[in-house]
Amino acid sequence: MRHAGIDIGSRTIECVVVEDGAIVSTHQTSTTFDPMTEIRKILRGIQFDRIMATGYGRNLFEVAFEAPTVTEIKAYGRGVRHLYPEASTILDIGGQDSKCIVMGVNGKVQKFEMNDRCAAGTGKFLEVMAEALNFSLDEFGPRALHAEKSLTVNAMCTVFAESEVTSLVSRGEKREDIALGLHKAVVKRAAGMIRRLWAGGPIVFAGGVARNTCIRTLLEEELRVAVIVPEDPQSVGALGAALLLEEMK
Amino acid sequence: MSDKRVQFDDHYLGGIEERVGRDMAIARYEGAKVVGVYCAFTPKELIAAAGAIPVALCSGSDIPIQLAEQHLPRNLCALIKSSYGHAIAESCPYFQATDFLLADATCDGKKKMFELLGRIKPFTMLQLPQTASTPESFTYWLQELYRIKKLLEKQMAVVITEEMLWQQIRIYISLRSKICEVFALNKGDTPLAFGREIDVITSMAGFECNLDTRIDEMQEAIDRIHQRADDPAGDKAIFSGPRILLTGCPTTNKKVLHLIEDSGAVVVAMENCGSLKTAGDRVNEEGHPMESLARHYLDIACACMSPNPRRIEILGSLAREYRLDGVIEMTWEGCHTYNVEAYQIEKAVTEKFGYPYLHIVTDYSVNDTGQLTTRIEAFLEMLR
């Protein structure tokens, strides 16, 4: 039997199909302003028997497809346990959320922290800042790593940070240096969240922001610990949902 | 949550509020005055003994907040802003009906807001000590209550006798016992009512007049819930979710209470103002009534008191009595006292009592519903 997990996030939708605990296929698309259409598109041509939804759009999916749902916190926990059975601490930074999840020895979620309503320090923040400095999202992290000096950006609110960036630009600062300052601000916030829960050990970094090499490098420096990024960091939640569904009686 | 599962809802409460409103109008016609109160430290027995009608004015509505922010800082707690906004907008019938205010100086935000309210309504502040743990604070508080007693006697042109006080003390004891009885419906193996139902059933529904009728209404609700539980056709599975104790700031606004139960849990007990925090203790019926009242009210386990060890004691005994699966603490943004105290509460709940704990900091707006739902659902997943 094939089990699918679909993670409907604020920016992207991932779908992972598993069979007997092994990944069969992985699919991804953008969420856009019309997630239902995108969901139907991504499901077209995927073979599965049952499906479970996670992520922000899970309740939308639950109603439309009469499918079970699970929070992305539990789903990421399960997905990471599949990929790195020894890991106990997970950082997930997505389009509008950041979460730190700590797993117990039984493989269940033990503690978690999550940002509140504000999307400060998430993918959305980096996206807006990249645009403000005229970087593409893909080059934002690598270029920040080429900074010559580190500037301090204090604001974490996207709106305030944008005006801080504007004033740094008008002071004649190099955009790579400003970019590094912005990345450091995100890492400071994420590290604070991790430290509140963390019992030590390596950290698995998932979600879209895990693709940003600068964030990963800075996190390793800040916490002095190995930060592991899965090969496909955005599909961990969908994978977890598929595995949880397979285990459901 | 489908509405038919929730028997005691806003519609039910609306009916009670109408009845209470009518009773108040009659009493007022006969000369009674309405005294507006805010926090739980003001002895309602004193007000009632003077022949006046107490009414709690803390608001849970998001609507007046914008107006309140003309005068109050944005980062003040929603409860204070909402209550003030209603007052200046003249949009609260309870405030409109109030003749004068008796406001207890609890947290800094409230007492400074009261000063501004004093421009609109005649108002007296009850100066509360900052601790309940010294004999001096008790003596001071007793003197303060004597001052308020004198003031009420003057306002209402009565002399409050000991007998009048004992009579009101007994009525309020019956009321609080009845509230505890309603909560006790959820002490058994299977809870019998949703927290949102208990919250509605035990609500004061506005003006505190004809409390005997209000007590009867609560008893009637208890009977109806027993009947519902005994109905063989009833769906027992709806109460099979995790059993949650809700603690923290007053649940004036119901969004978190509702989100918890919409996510499949049952709020079996509440340690908040108006519920088991304030209804759980019994006024001592021996000695002098003023001293009994002073002791009872000074002992309220509010975070504005320093230290506040009684709150942890209450939580410990509720945890045992209500067979909890987890504790959710809800505090309002900008409520420094409860937000700071949350650290000690988390330690006590997780380490001393051994229950999972989730802290939610929010306000009255609905724009964090998505995040809150995910956090609450993930917490409930941990408990299952």
Side-chain angles (χ1 to χ4, degrees):
Chain A
M1 238 175 131
R2 287 188 169 191
H3 291 90
I6 185 163
D7 182 356
I8 304 149
S10 64
R11 303 290 291 147
T12 58
I13 299 171
E14 291 82 21
C15 187
V16 172
V17 182
V18 300
E19 190 164 14
D20 298 327
I23 299 170
V24 176
S25 63
T26 302
H27 315 261
Q28 189 185 41
T29 186
S30 292
T31 307
T32 75
F33 59 90
D34 183 10
M36 275 318 289
T37 303
E38 296 303 319
I39 289 166
R40 289 206 177 87
K41 259 195 245 167
I42 199 174
L43 292 181
R44 217 173 287 150
I46 302 180
Q47 295 288 318
F48 60 85
D49 299 293
R50 291 162 72 206
I51 188 162
M52 179 144 86
T54 185
Y56 261 95
R58 66 184 181 281
N59 295 326
L60 186 75
F61 193 89
E62 182 182 16
V63 174
F65 293 85
E66 288 180 24
T69 62
V70 63
T71 65
E72 51 270 38
I73 292 165
K74 190 173 177 179
Y76 267 85
R78 183 65 190 88
V80 166
R81 188 155 67 90
H82 178 83
L83 300 170
Y84 309 98
E86 303 300 312
S88 66
T89 311
I90 305 163
L91 175 68
D92 161 29
I93 309 185
Q96 63 173 28
D97 275 332
S98 52
K99 304 176 188 87
C100 178
I101 305 159
V102 169
M103 312 284 288
V105 277
N106 55 3
K108 286 187 168 172
V109 175
Q110 201 176 36
K111 297 184 276 189
F112 66 90
E113 285 254 336
M114 182 176 162
N115 64 316
D116 50 24
R117 74 194 75 201
C118 171
T122 64
K124 193 75 213 165
F125 176 84
L126 288 169
E127 200 177 328
V128 172
M129 294 309 133
E131 198 175 324
L133 291 169
N134 204 19
F135 286 122
S136 76
L137 198 52
D138 286 340
E139 65 176 344
F140 195 34
R143 293 290 290 273
L145 282 172
H146 285 101
E148 281 162 17
K149 63 174 177 179
S150 171
L151 296 167
T152 307
V153 176
N154 294 303
M156 262 281 92
C157 166
T158 310
V159 179
F160 287 152
E162 208 171 352
S163 26
E164 212 173 332
V165 165
T166 308
S167 71
L168 289 171
V169 168
S170 65
R171 221 168 68 185
E173 300 290 356
K174 275 182 64 189
R175 60 181 188 144
E176 283 82 0
D177 299 347
I178 301 172
L180 181 61
L182 288 161
H183 281 75
K184 279 194 164 170
V186 172
V187 166
K188 209 165 117 185
R189 192 183 169 95
M193 190 160 67
I194 291 168
R195 283 199 186 98
R196 281 196 288 277
L197 305 180
W198 192 32
I203 289 157
V204 177
F205 183 19
V209 173
R211 293 194 178 284
N212 183 309
T213 49
C214 182
I215 298 284
R216 175 187 172 179
T217 308
L218 293 176
L219 257 180
E220 285 188 326
E221 282 171 13
E222 174 77 26
L223 297 170
R224 294 164 192 276
V225 71
V227 172
I228 305 156
V229 176
E231 195 186 315
D232 186 358
Q234 286 171 282
S235 69
V236 176
L239 169 66
L243 292 169
L244 285 166
L245 181 63
E246 196 173 56
E247 287 152 11
M248 253 166 63
K249 295 284 176 322
Chain B
M1 186 177 291
S2 75
D3 282 339
K4 61 175 188 262
R5 291 176 174 186
V6 179
Q7 221 175 336
F8 299 91
D9 54 10
D10 283 349
H11 181 71
Y12 167 84
L13 185 60
I16 307 256
E17 281 168 346
E18 256 184 64
R19 193 273 301 159
V20 169
R22 281 195 304 273
D23 289 356
M24 183 279 293
I26 294 166
R28 232 182 157 204
Y29 181 75
E30 289 168 352
K33 285 201 162 99
V34 174
V35 178
V37 301
Y38 287 89
C39 286
F41 289 89
T42 306
K44 311 238 180 94
E45 291 91 334
L46 256 181
I47 298 169
I53 301 170
V55 62
L57 296 172
C58 287
S59 164
S61 165
D62 189 33
I63 298 163
I65 286 179
Q66 206 185 353
L67 194 64
E69 286 175 352
Q70 292 176 10
H71 301 162
L72 298 174
R74 284 184 58 105
N75 61 359
L76 194 61
C77 101
L79 191 159
I80 300 175
K81 285 190 288 188
S82 176
S83 306
Y84 182 77
H86 257 325
I88 59 169
E90 303 184 353
S91 53
C92 170
Y94 301 114
F95 189 86
Q96 295 287 89
T98 297
D99 293 292
F100 60 96
L101 302 170
L102 274 185
D104 32 6
T106 48
C107 69
D108 290 352
K110 272 225 169 137
K111 64 190 181 204
K112 298 309 283 185
M113 180 273 277
F114 293 149
E115 290 177 26
L116 304 191
L117 271 190
R119 300 172 309 153
I120 314 171
K121 282 264 185 211
F123 131 99
T124 301
M125 189 111 80
L126 276 80
Q127 301 292 350
L128 197 65
Q130 300 197 13
T131 183
S133 58
T134 64
E136 289 80 8
S137 60
F138 174 76
T139 311
Y140 172 82
W141 179 235
L142 183 63
Q143 291 311 310
E144 190 66 4
L145 292 192
Y146 272 114
R147 182 174 74 88
I148 298 304
K149 178 169 170 272
K150 239 180 238 163
L151 180 129
L152 282 163
E153 287 176 329
K154 195 173 160 214
Q155 288 275 353
M156 302 299 296
V158 289
V159 174
I160 301 173
T161 64
E162 283 190 27
E163 192 37 52
M164 289 155 104
L165 281 171
W166 283 127
Q167 194 194 341
Q168 290 306 323
I169 286 172
R170 282 191 292 270
I171 293 174
Y172 272 93
I173 285 176
S174 309
L175 175 73
R176 293 187 192 114
S177 312
K178 196 54 74 181
I179 290 173
C180 291
E181 269 183 58
V182 178
F183 273 98
L185 290 166
N186 284 344
K187 281 187 181 177
D189 286 341
T190 305
L192 302 186
F194 287 110
R196 58 172 66 175
E197 293 184 301
I198 305 264
D199 183 63
V200 159
I201 294 165
T202 58
S203 159
M204 284 320 301
F207 304 98
E208 300 183 19
C209 53
N210 287 353
L211 291 181
D212 290 334
T213 310
R214 192 70 198 93
I215 293 167
D216 290 345
E217 285 161 349
M218 289 184 196
Q219 182 57 50
E220 197 214 334
I222 292 174
D223 296 340
R224 278 173 62 189
I225 284 172
H226 277 300
Q227 280 166 20
R228 180 173 79 180
D230 294 338
D231 181 359
D235 183 2
K236 301 285 185 290
I238 59 171
F239 295 115
S240 62
R243 303 165 70 113
I244 299 295
L245 166 76
L246 182 61
T247 180
C249 287
T251 45
T252 36
N253 180 288
K254 313 296 177 195
K255 81 169 182 187
V256 171
L257 171 64
H258 288 191
L259 282 177
I260 295 169
E261 297 200 325
D262 287 345
S263 303
V266 182
V267 175
V268 287
M270 292 167 73
E271 193 274 331
N272 315 91
C273 280
S275 50
L276 295 167
K277 183 198 287 284
T278 47
D281 292 327
R282 196 182 173 95
V283 180
N284 186 2
E285 288 176 83
E286 279 159 22
H288 194 280
M290 287 299 281
E291 286 179 15
S292 283
L293 285 175
R295 184 78 265 158
H296 175 82
Y297 280 93
L298 190 60
D299 276 348
I300 288 174
C302 174
C304 71
M305 286 290 168
S306 181
N308 185 24
R310 284 209 62 241
R311 185 163 169 225
I312 290 171
E313 285 169 27
I314 295 172
L315 287 170
S317 56
L318 291 179
R320 283 189 297 275
E321 289 169 37
Y322 286 86
R323 310 182 203 186
L324 304 181
D325 293 312
V327 173
I328 298 183
E329 170 148 26
M330 183 212 67
T331 55
W332 300 126
E333 269 167 24
C335 177
H336 301 333
T337 53
Y338 271 97
N339 279 318
V340 174
E341 199 170 276
Y343 181 81
Q344 288 147 285
I345 299 300
E346 175 170 12
K347 286 264 171 228
V349 167
T350 55
E351 290 169 17
K352 198 170 168 195
F353 307 135
Y355 293 96
Y357 167 96
L358 175 71
H359 182 197
I360 289 172
V361 187
T362 185
D363 61 15
Y364 287 6
S365 69
V366 292
N367 65 9
D368 59 352
T369 308
Q371 274 97 345
L372 287 184
T373 304
T374 299
R375 290 184 61 200
I376 291 167
E377 284 182 9
F379 181 67
L380 299 179
E381 283 170 351
M382 274 169 55
L383 307 182
R384 286 196 174 109

